[in-house]
Amino acid sequence: MAEGGPERNRQHSNNLQGLLRLAVEAGSVGDTAPEHHPMPEERRQWLQDALSDVFHGQSDEVKQLKDCLQILNETPGDDAGEEERRWNALDMVADLCENLDNARDFCKLSGMRVVVDSFLECADAGLRWRTAHLIGTCSQNNPFVQEHVLQLGTMPKLLEMLNNDNSDLVRIKTLFAVSCLVREQEAGLREFIHHDGFSVLMRAMQSRVEKLKVKAAFLLQNLLISSPEHKGEGSCTDAVPHKLNIPNVLCSMGMVQQLVALLQTEHDPFHEHVLGALCSLVTDFPRGVKQCQEPELGLEDILNERSRMLKDQEEFQEELEFCEQLLRACFSQPDESGMDR
């Protein structure tokens, strides 16, 4: 790049995005080695200022976390505004902890222990749902935080809340937290199974809260899709073995029968995820197919009737595809050539 050319004069915004753009430009060269020129003073100053802002911003966010923790650590009193201050502090921490580094720092500051011990099971629903939301936000795609949260004994508390809390919003946020602790996290999934989490998930799917039903069914479907390698025929009834076997766990607890029972209720958009879970249970898993074929379930008739109902409804095409996939997997009869028909 010739010194003084238009690229030299480009003005970058004084932030991390500008740093990234600079790095991309620096790497956008041909096969030949680039020429090296002294960095112009204007760009050198911009780079120093940008780096300073980045590191200052990070330290400033840690200070904000500490300030919020100071509020959350206050001894409860009679101040009318105390509850709202704690709500605001939890909201602020959740916002800051969308950054993975901040989430780790919050745990290292013992913040996660504070909120789990003080607020997760407290009397105020506003604090409970905000704490559950914060656990999910910090844990999502963050193995360090996931392990830290599990070590605090949080899973059984979350499952108890998901099962029995009298606030719908608390239950929804709790399911979010559970989801962030078990998806792509084998230690979390083991704890979930150990504490009968799939039974809790089924009861959530049977609830009157539409959003909770949909999210519970979606999580079940996701766990089955993400664990195709665990479809062996080994037993998994008491202690969780070295290799998790989710389909066998579900078949052993009668999940197929319970999912089919859900399909017999009035048609609901969440049935798409119920059917998706059933499809995952029968894919390359003969035990699941056999249970779906039990005559007393009447699943074939349910699927045929549902297919006719959905045939011309474009918004339910994915659900229709699940119906057709289940019919092929469980009820198609091979013709003389050995092909399904």
Side-chain angles (χ1 to χ4, degrees):
M1 186 185 299
E3 187 172 348
E7 294 299 320
R8 286 289 184 193
N9 297 323
R10 180 180 296 175
Q11 297 298 312
H12 293 282
S13 58
N14 193 19
N15 55 25
L16 187 56
Q17 189 174 10
L19 275 176
L20 178 60
R21 187 159 58 243
L22 177 63
V24 170
E25 288 174 1
S28 299
V29 296
D31 294 333
T32 58
E35 292 183 58
H36 294 282
H37 298 281
M39 181 178 289
E41 184 58 34
E42 180 185 358
R43 177 161 294 197
R44 184 188 303 277
Q45 185 60 50
W46 171 83
L47 185 58
Q48 289 175 345
D49 292 344
L51 287 170
S52 175
D53 284 351
V54 168
F55 292 116
H56 175 73
Q58 185 68 27
S59 63
D60 185 58
E61 291 183 353
V62 172
K63 182 181 182 303
Q64 291 179 63
L65 289 174
K66 290 178 178 178
D67 291 342
C68 290
L69 265 175
Q70 187 172 350
I71 295 171
L72 296 172
N73 272 313
E74 289 176 355
T75 303
D78 299 326
D79 187 349
E82 181 180 276
E83 188 177 77
E84 187 173 353
R85 284 201 302 275
R86 287 179 173 162
W87 289 356
N88 292 338
L90 287 170
D91 289 341
M92 173 66 77
V93 173
D95 184 55
L96 291 168
C97 287
E98 289 183 3
N99 178 296
L100 299 182
D101 291 331
N102 287 341
R104 286 191 287 269
D105 287 338
F106 183 66
C107 292
K108 292 174 183 177
L109 293 167
S110 298
M112 189 62 71
R113 180 178 294 278
V114 169
V115 298
V116 168
D117 290 348
S118 301
F119 306 123
L120 186 59
E121 298 174 295
C122 72
D124 176 49
L127 291 173
R128 293 200 306 277
W129 78 250
R130 284 177 171 85
T131 301
H133 177 73
L134 175 59
I135 291 170
T137 300
C138 290
S139 301
Q140 197 164 30
N141 303 316
N142 198 331
F144 174 87
V145 176
Q146 290 168 338
E147 292 171 11
H148 180 78
V149 170
L150 293 170
Q151 288 169 4
L152 295 175
T154 309
M155 182 63 75
K157 296 178 181 180
L158 290 171
L159 291 175
E160 174 65 22
M161 292 168 64
L162 177 55
N163 224 6
N164 297 313
D165 202 282
N166 57 17
S167 164
D168 293 345
L169 182 56
V170 170
R171 296 180 72 197
I172 290 167
K173 292 295 186 178
T174 299
L175 180 57
F176 167 62
V178 169
S179 174
C180 293
L181 288 170
V182 300
R183 293 173 65 174
E184 309 299 333
Q185 169 51 265
E186 186 157 323
L189 188 54
R190 287 178 183 279
E191 272 214 51
F192 177 81
I193 294 174
H194 178 72
H195 293 287
D196 202 20
F198 282 117
S199 294
V200 176
L201 207 57
M202 171 51 69
R203 287 190 284 275
M205 286 189 281
Q206 295 167 336
S207 78
R208 58 177 176 76
V209 185
E210 185 67 20
K211 193 170 184 178
L212 187 66
K213 289 162 59 176
V214 171
K215 289 181 177 294
F218 181 77
L219 176 57
L220 176 62
Q221 183 185 0
N222 180 272
L223 289 175
L224 282 162
I225 291 172
S226 63
S227 304
E229 71 277 15
H230 299 143
K231 290 196 173 182
E233 292 292 338
S235 174
C236 187
T237 54
D238 39 36
V240 182
H242 178 65
K243 258 204 167 184
L244 295 174
N245 192 321
I246 293 175
N248 255 334
V249 173
L250 297 178
C251 285
S252 295
M253 63 182 286
M255 183 64 79
V256 168
Q257 293 80 359
Q258 294 179 76
L259 290 173
V260 173
L262 287 175
L263 293 175
Q264 293 174 310
T265 60
E266 183 178 355
H267 184 246
D268 190 290
F270 99 103
H271 284 176
E272 174 188 321
H273 301 297
V274 174
L275 287 162
L278 281 170
C279 283
S280 296
L281 268 173
V282 303
T283 302
D284 300 323
F285 189 56
R287 185 180 179 189
V289 173
K290 185 177 181 180
Q291 289 195 3
C292 285
Q293 291 172 335
E294 293 175 1
E296 56 269 28
L297 287 182
L299 180 58
E300 184 175 12
D301 290 339
I302 294 171
L303 294 173
N304 281 321
E305 181 182 346
R306 183 65 56 88
S307 296
R308 287 192 292 270
M309 183 183 80
L310 301 178
K311 188 174 182 180
D312 297 319
Q313 300 188 52
E314 187 174 344
E315 66 271 29
F316 295 117
Q317 285 309 293
E318 192 163 359
E319 183 178 343
L320 175 61
E321 289 173 10
F322 284 141
C323 288
E324 293 171 345
Q325 184 178 334
L326 279 167
L327 284 167
R328 288 193 301 271
C330 301
F331 303 106
S332 291
Q333 298 296 323
D335 60 22
E336 294 180 359
S337 65
M339 300 293 290
D340 286 347
R341 58 182 175 85

